[in-house]
Amino acid sequence: MALRWRNDLRESDITPEPVFLDRRQVVAGAAAGMALTAATGRPAWAEALEPNTWEEITTYNNYYEFGTDKGDPARYAHMLTTSPWTVKIDGMVERPGDYAFEDIMKKMTVEERIYRLRCVERWAMVVPWSGFELADLLDLAGVRSSARYVAFQTAYRPEEMPGVKFPVVEWPYVEGLRLDEAMHPLTIMATGLYGKDMPSQNGAPLRVVVPWKYGYKSIKSVVRITLTDSQPPTTWNKYSAREYGFYSNVNPNVDHPRWSQKYETRVGGGLFAKKERTRMFNGYEEEVAHLYEGMDLEKYH
Amino acid sequence: MSRLRDGLNGGLRRMPAWPIYAGSAGYAAWLFWLGLTGGLGVEPVEALEHALGKAALYMLVAGLAVTPLRRLAGLNLVKFRRAIGLSCFLFVCLHLLVWAFLDVQFIGEIWADILKRPYITVGMAAFVLMVPLALTSNQMAVRQLGPRWRRLHRLTYAAAALGVLHYVMLSKGWQPEPMVFALVVTGLLALRVRVRNGATRGAVRGR
């Protein structure tokens, strides 16, 4: 754990709940926060990380198992039974098996991580997740030295997920990471938001968060984790490999074939929100660029 | 059945077309108001853009349905067709403006998108085809162009096809809604093809 990622933002940086419920006050809070930052000399990029509101994070979601409208997950995700919950960990691990969510939580160190979230559709948020490092969970199962990749699977429950009636993509939703990406200290299993349990529409009870990749890599409501030695299939890549690569690192220089990725919209700015420039690796270049050294990021997009 | 139809047609004859213009402009204004006041959710630009595009598609379907409704059901809505078409064009223009100024925002990017992104090229082509239709929608143009007016306004079919193709192309995944629109518009266009090949020329006249 020597390489643990150090969070530049602390609990006190989050707008307190009574305040974030009121948008106008949030703006006032941000101004106060800015003054504080100047005093503490935090890096410039951290200043912009004012988290989005609870309402923004929980009403504007892509979770196609509940429908393709951004509001569908908030409307229907309550149908999902999130307790009891087990995660099957199998493949190239020392201790394969069904891990109960509560048992996992007893062994993990939950911490707050305020991360940018960048969707491939060009909208972005800042989310105060809570969760634990994926590496810790993988260590719990014991990764064999032959493993190279980690495959993930979302729950597939037609009776609880109205959206899977339609073959929008192939169900169940699957994702994957290279082992070094999965073991990176920035990669977490998030179990909460704003210090509360994860809302269902955000991927309860536990989901992956890989902040330097487009949002669809951060798979929700994980029921299975499989360690493999070959690159696992991933849902959007199966749908269109030309548009959605396995890596899917946020990159302003590699456009999605159907739209440019140079700019992004920060959710919450209203009708006249100014576009912002997309950041390389979503602003985490310093932490993760070395993982892709020598790789053609256009080819391995 | 025929009495019901005659009654309906009689009622429709007495109904003015202006409520369609008023309703469309009002709906657009209401959407904009919702966007300003949080009624369109936390990301109002995308929501407004999509709502305007969707409204244009509904008007497109309504406009294409006028002739089949008269031919197959004897329902005469022809006097509303101009208002439906112009309302469709209004929604398309607003959709385009929201996309350019609130969504893309950068002139260079707007141009690059039109050239580089097929779904935008297709949508833009649909808009361009609609411009002469809107410009010749007045009574004077109809008189002046004579038979050429009808030929020119067959561009509607191309614009409709491109409009719905634009919607299908921009969707992420195999979403049901664009597929339904594609099916309905294809069906409405197919009705024209069948008539042209099967029936006598005389039956075609008056579309």
Side-chain angles (χ1 to χ4, degrees):
Chain A
M1 292 306 113
L3 266 171
R4 278 194 100 89
W5 183 72
R6 206 172 49 78
N7 198 346
D8 278 301
L9 289 131
R10 319 240 157 266
E11 192 87 28
S12 58
D13 293 322
I14 306 178
T15 317
E17 189 184 359
V19 178
F20 74 67
L21 291 171
D22 186 318
R23 192 70 202 155
R24 278 162 302 177
Q25 282 176 311
V26 170
V27 177
M34 220 82 101
L36 189 85
T37 324
T40 54
R42 231 192 290 119
W45 60 264
E47 285 174 31
L49 282 186
E50 182 214 334
N52 279 84
T53 64
W54 174 268
E55 191 208 344
E56 285 156 2
I57 299 168
T58 59
T59 63
Y60 192 76
N61 306 97
N62 276 336
Y63 194 166
Y64 282 6
E65 282 84 341
F66 296 102
T68 51
D69 188 89
K70 291 285 186 291
D72 283 340
R75 274 190 286 274
Y76 304 119
H78 65 88
M79 295 164 71
L80 184 69
T81 310
T82 56
S83 179
W85 192 273
T86 53
V87 182
K88 180 191 277 301
I89 306 182
D90 60 1
M92 296 170 167
V93 287
E94 303 294 343
R95 292 169 289 281
D98 293 325
Y99 289 76
F101 179 65
E102 310 87 79
D103 296 342
I104 294 173
M105 289 303 274
K106 273 181 217 144
K107 296 189 178 98
M108 295 292 129
T109 315
V110 171
E111 53 186 296
E112 189 114 45
R113 294 287 179 96
I114 302 170
Y115 282 162
R116 287 176 207 287
L117 172 77
R118 171 58 154 79
C119 178
V120 72
E121 295 164 4
R122 294 180 290 188
W123 53 268
M125 291 193 192
V126 173
V127 186
W129 303 110
S130 42
F132 51 86
E133 291 188 8
L134 175 58
D136 290 351
L137 179 61
L138 295 181
D139 285 345
L140 192 67
V143 178
R144 292 218 176 117
S145 58
S146 49
R148 290 285 172 272
Y149 293 90
V150 190
F152 305 91
Q153 188 178 315
T154 295
Y156 172 73
R157 297 181 192 160
E159 66 286 359
E160 296 184 0
M161 297 172 147
V164 300
K165 280 200 296 283
F166 306 103
V168 181
V169 289
E170 199 182 319
W171 312 113
Y173 195 94
V174 289
E175 256 307 335
L177 294 170
R178 220 168 54 189
L179 187 60
D180 59 344
E181 297 174 325
M183 298 298 276
H184 192 283
L186 276 179
T187 306
I188 59 166
M189 293 300 283
T191 55
L193 260 185
Y194 269 110
K196 297 183 187 172
D197 285 347
M198 187 69 80
S200 292
Q201 60 266 40
N202 295 87
L206 81 169
R207 60 164 301 169
V208 173
V209 175
V210 205
W212 70 92
K213 292 174 181 284
Y214 292 119
Y216 60 87
K217 293 295 289 184
S218 293
I219 184 169
K220 299 185 178 82
S221 307
V222 174
V223 292
R224 186 173 182 185
I225 300 175
T226 309
L227 279 291
T228 69
D229 56 1
S230 59
Q231 187 176 302
T234 62
T235 292
W236 283 102
N237 184 255
K238 283 191 286 182
Y239 166 74
S240 172
R242 196 174 69 91
E243 298 183 26
Y244 307 96
F246 174 79
Y247 287 94
S248 295
N249 294 317
V250 176
N251 187 340
N253 309 315
V254 177
D255 285 348
H256 184 281
R258 286 186 282 160
W259 51 79
S260 160
Q261 292 290 20
K262 279 196 205 66
Y263 298 95
E264 63 190 36
T265 307
R266 172 79 185 274
V267 171
L271 211 46
F272 302 106
K274 278 265 160 291
K275 296 268 147 164
E276 291 175 27
R277 280 193 173 278
T278 304
R279 296 158 183 86
M280 188 65 200
F281 294 113
N282 203 24
Y284 301 96
E285 188 168 13
E286 217 172 286
E287 289 89 347
V288 302
H290 68 272
L291 298 174
Y292 310 101
E293 233 162 34
M295 269 174 71
D296 179 350
L297 294 179
E298 194 143 348
K299 186 175 171 205
Y300 298 100
H301 64 90
Chain B
M1 193 59 196
S2 74
R3 189 176 304 166
L4 173 72
R5 187 180 61 206
D6 293 344
L8 263 174
N9 280 335
L12 287 168
R13 242 194 318 278
R14 280 189 296 279
M15 230 163 73
W18 66 261
I20 295 179
Y21 294 109
S24 299
Y27 177 61
W30 182 63
L31 282 177
F32 199 76
W33 172 251
L34 285 182
L36 281 173
T37 54
L40 293 180
V42 297
E43 221 295 74
V45 177
E46 185 202 37
L48 181 63
E49 192 177 304
H50 289 180
L52 289 167
K54 202 77 79 60
L57 284 169
Y58 277 115
M59 291 314 238
L60 201 77
V61 167
L64 286 178
V66 168
T67 296
L69 274 177
R70 195 182 48 172
R71 267 194 39 241
L72 303 174
L75 208 57
N76 193 349
L77 294 162
V78 173
K79 69 174 285 197
F80 302 106
R81 195 164 54 181
R82 176 186 297 160
I84 292 170
L86 281 172
S87 296
C88 177
F89 187 65
L90 169 77
F91 287 127
V92 168
C93 289
L94 293 173
H95 172 70
L96 194 60
L97 288 171
V98 168
W99 168 75
F101 294 106
L102 299 184
D103 189 350
V104 183
Q105 295 183 4
F106 301 93
I107 300 291
E109 289 292 303
I110 293 170
W111 193 233
D113 268 2
I114 293 172
L115 296 178
K116 263 166 68 180
R117 318 284 165 203
Y119 83 87
I120 292 174
T121 318
V122 165
M124 206 47 122
F127 164 72
V128 169
L129 291 183
M130 288 180 88
V131 173
L133 302 183
L135 291 178
T136 58
S137 62
N138 54 76
Q139 208 54 51
M140 206 170 69
V142 178
R143 263 198 304 273
Q144 275 179 359
L145 289 170
R148 283 174 301 163
W149 188 90
R150 177 152 297 140
R151 242 178 298 147
L152 176 69
H153 278 249
R154 286 200 192 121
L155 281 179
T156 307
Y157 305 143
L162 289 171
V164 84
L165 180 65
H166 165 74
Y167 185 33
V168 169
M169 284 173 79
L170 67 86
S171 303
K172 231 174 98 205
W174 302 109
Q175 297 195 27
E177 222 179 333
M179 299 299 160
V180 171
F181 264 105
L183 254 148
V184 169
V185 169
T186 307
L188 287 169
L189 292 177
L191 282 172
R192 268 82 180 176
V193 177
R194 206 169 56 81
V195 168
R196 302 210 78 198
N197 295 338
T200 60
R201 285 276 156 187
V204 189
R205 204 157 292 149
R207 281 173 308 137

